Amino acid sequence: MSANQGVKERTLVLIKPDAIQRSLIGSITKRFESKGLKLVGMKMMSLDEAVLREHYAHIADKPFFAGLSKFMQSTPVVAMCWEGLEVVDAVRRITGITKAREAEAGSIRGDFAMSVSCNVIHASDSVDNAEVEVKRFFKADEIHSYDKSEYMHVYADDEL
Ligand code: UDP
Ligand code: MG
């Protein structure tokens, strides 16, 4: 096995204010841990309008943006960086579609949410965006490298 089990791919997850208010931090984090992903960064932080405009640039001109921005500033969020093989895609699948009441049962949004806006988490939607988003929310020294002993049971030898 290579040092740090070879950095595979990293993605950003934000636990949103509805999940903070509903005491779902543990339940949500547990889903990613149980999947076999490696947590390499985690912190609570308050977001401001500037970072939200940047993070949600693709929807900043939509009528719902003002409400979304207010919602995202209503409590701190928990930012997490997860690492794993093809982790961006895997986390999007676990997350479920945006409109939570139609999200697949078993996904986080499918199991924990009913709203289009209050859909408990954000997850990066592509490898390129994940790289930008991890850097947006974490300084380099807030991302940690370590070997996880359970990896030998999570992946086959030829995947490590
Ligand atoms: N959103 C909203 N109303 C909409 C569409 C999106 O409030 O009609 C919010 C919602 O919180 C969503 C976020 O904007 O998660 C980002 O939208 P995107 O289309 O990127 O969805 P996601 O990638 O989060 O599934
Ligand atoms: Mg998105």
Side-chain angles (χ1 to χ4, degrees), residues 58 92 122-123 125:
H58 62 297
R92 282 294 284 194
H122 164 83
D125 65 2

Side-chain angles (χ1 to χ4, degrees), residues 68-89:
L68 176 65
S69 176
K70 191 172 166 207
F71 162 63
M72 291 296 291
Q73 294 180 73
S74 63
T75 70
V77 300
V78 174
M80 303 189 289
C81 180
W82 291 96
E83 193 177 280
L85 184 60
E86 295 171 13
V87 72
V88 174
D89 186 52

Side-chain angles (χ1 to χ4, degrees), residues 23-96:
S23 308
L24 292 172
I25 297 170
S27 304
I28 289 169
T29 306
K30 184 72 190 159
R31 295 291 185 100
F32 296 116
E33 286 189 303
S34 301
K35 180 72 170 169
L37 308 184
K38 188 197 287 188
L39 185 62
V40 295
M42 187 180 208
K43 62 177 174 180
M44 185 171 246
M45 60 196 298
S46 295
L47 306 182
D48 61 19
E49 179 80 14
V51 76
L52 285 164
R53 280 204 170 273
E54 199 179 283
H55 182 62
Y56 284 134
H58 62 297
I59 49 172
D61 59 349
K62 302 276 189 201
F64 60 79
F65 179 77
L68 176 65
S69 176
K70 191 172 166 207
F71 162 63
M72 291 296 291
Q73 294 180 73
S74 63
T75 70
V77 300
V78 174
M80 303 189 289
C81 180
W82 291 96
E83 193 177 280
L85 184 60
E86 295 171 13
V87 72
V88 174
D89 186 52
V91 164
R92 282 294 284 194
R93 286 169 196 276
I94 299 170
T95 298

Side-chain angles (χ1 to χ4, degrees), residues 11-26:
T11 196
L12 177 85
V13 170
L14 299 177
I15 302 184
K16 293 182 175 182
D18 53 328
I20 306 290
Q21 294 286 15
R22 295 173 56 212
S23 308
L24 292 172
I25 297 170

